[in-house]
């Protein structure tokens, strides 16, 4: 019997040593530890795997900031997330890490400074100074893992996961303000409808919704909507945030 295609994939870390990681900037300096951390994701010990993943996420996505190391690591993360030779606990979290890197709001420059995602009044993203690792990392994820990228851009994903989060009796802390924010988003009927359904589901516990609080302009705790941010970006952030909390709770994936 022929093995499934996922089992036929080659070594997910092939070619890892061809990159001179000590010369690759990761926001802290050289990214010399990245290869060891990537290899540790395939360790037989679950504790070693998860510790490596936390350390890797801190280096590749430092305070929502990507770097040259993030860009260089994308092909290996894509293979780790797609290979059934890798433990399921790692594959799932690697996919979330790729999604977070695609949605990063900041990028390191070669001088260690940070650039931010910004849009003009027409919703077009403003250019940044080369090498612009933020854009390059996002494009690398889109090329290597297009299904992840397509899902992030889907309002349906944001809505479905939002509703899934609304059903449990214990509501994640960040959902209350977000639901109210979603009900009044102009021109985003699908998201607004989903939010209204979620609010109706939770009316039995109005204290959870913070009905007397002013409506915050947030996409979740700490995720403030920048000026002129396109609605598809807002939908992607919502979907990612809801999915992360649903899968791993308020502590997140790492």
């Amino acid at each position: 019997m022929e093995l499934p295609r996922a089992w036929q994939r080659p070594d997910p870390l092939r070619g890892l040593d061809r990159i001179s990681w000590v010369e690759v900037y990761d926001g802290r300096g050289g990214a010399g530890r990245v290869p060891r951390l990537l290899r540790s994701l395939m360790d037989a010990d679950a504790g070693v795997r998860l510790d490596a993943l936390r350390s890797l996420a801190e280096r590749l996505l430092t305070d929502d900031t990507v770097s040259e190391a993030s860009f260089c690591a994308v092909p290996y993360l894509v293979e780790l997330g797609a290979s059934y030779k890798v433990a399921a606990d790692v594959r799932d979290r690697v996919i979330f890490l790729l999604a977070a890197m695609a949605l990063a709001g900041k990028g390191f420059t070669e001088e260690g400074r940070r650039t931010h995602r910004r849009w003009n009044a027409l919703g077009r993203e403003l250019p940044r100074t080369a090498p612009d690792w933020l854009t390059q990392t996002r494009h690398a994820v889109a090329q290597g893992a297009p299904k992840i990228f397509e899902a992030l851009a889907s309002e349906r994903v944001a809505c479905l996961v939002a509703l899934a989060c609304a059903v449990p009796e214990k509501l994640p802390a960040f959902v209350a303000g977000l639901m109210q924010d979603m009900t009044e988003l102009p021109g985003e009927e699908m998201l607004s409808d989903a939010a209204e359904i979620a609010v109706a589901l939770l009316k039995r516990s109005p204290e959870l919704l913070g009905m007397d609080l002013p409506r915050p302009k947030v996409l979740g705790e700490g995720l403030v909507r920048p000026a002129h941010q396109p609605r598809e970006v807002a939908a992607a952030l919502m979907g990612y945030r809801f999915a992360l909390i649903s899968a791993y709770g308020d502590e997140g994936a790492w």
Side-chain angles (χ1 to χ4, degrees):
M1 183 178 69
E2 187 179 7
L3 291 173
R5 290 180 62 187
W7 284 91
Q8 298 177 36
R9 299 181 77 94
D11 175 11
L13 298 180
R14 65 192 182 282
L16 186 62
D17 292 329
R18 295 175 188 169
I19 297 174
S20 180
W21 290 95
V22 293
E23 299 177 6
V24 173
Y25 185 70
D26 70 350
R28 303 180 181 184
R33 291 190 61 203
V34 170
R36 182 178 66 80
L37 293 172
L38 286 169
R39 289 191 176 94
S40 295
L41 296 183
M42 300 183 70
D43 195 276
D45 187 306
V48 172
R49 294 196 300 268
L50 295 182
D51 285 345
L53 188 66
R54 292 188 191 97
S55 297
L56 195 62
E58 289 175 359
R59 287 183 171 272
L60 301 183
L61 191 65
T62 307
D63 297 326
D64 193 37
T65 309
V66 292
S67 63
E68 181 183 11
S70 311
F71 168 75
C72 292
V74 166
Y76 304 104
L77 293 174
V78 168
E79 289 297 325
L80 287 165
S83 175
Y84 279 85
K85 298 175 184 177
V86 180
D89 58 357
V90 169
R91 292 201 311 272
D92 292 346
R93 286 168 170 81
V94 161
I95 290 170
F96 271 106
L97 178 56
L98 282 167
M101 289 164 63
L103 290 170
K106 291 168 282 187
F108 280 114
T109 66
E110 291 181 326
E111 294 77 27
R113 299 179 180 178
R114 302 188 194 215
T115 56
H116 297 252
R117 291 191 77 180
R118 291 189 175 90
W119 294 266
N120 62 20
L122 298 177
R124 294 173 180 167
E125 190 166 354
L126 297 175
R128 288 171 292 274
T129 304
D132 187 8
W133 297 117
L134 200 162
T135 297
Q136 292 197 55
T137 299
R138 189 164 69 246
H139 286 178
V141 175
Q143 182 177 16
K147 294 299 181 184
I148 293 176
F149 207 81
E150 290 170 13
L152 285 174
S154 171
E155 291 182 359
R156 293 182 181 278
V157 172
C159 295
L160 291 173
V161 183
L163 290 173
C165 281
V167 173
E169 292 185 5
K170 184 178 180 182
L171 187 70
F174 79 99
V175 173
L178 178 54
M179 284 299 177
Q180 293 192 78
D181 192 30
M182 286 170 64
T183 60
E184 300 181 31
L185 289 175
E188 299 181 20
E189 292 77 9
M190 188 182 296
L191 290 173
S192 298
D193 291 346
E196 289 180 10
I197 294 171
V199 169
L201 289 170
L202 290 162
K203 276 189 174 178
R204 65 182 183 279
S205 303
E207 68 278 2
L208 294 176
L209 292 171
M211 299 300 287
D212 297 330
L213 300 176
R215 184 171 63 86
K217 286 286 185 182
V218 299
L219 300 176
E221 291 179 3
L223 296 176
V224 180
R225 172 183 268 182
H228 311 305
Q229 184 185 71
R231 69 192 193 104
E232 59 268 20
V233 177
L237 286 166
M238 289 177 187
Y240 168 76
R241 183 68 175 169
F242 274 119
L244 185 67
I245 297 294
S246 294
Y248 301 108
D250 286 325
E251 293 184 0
W254 328 123

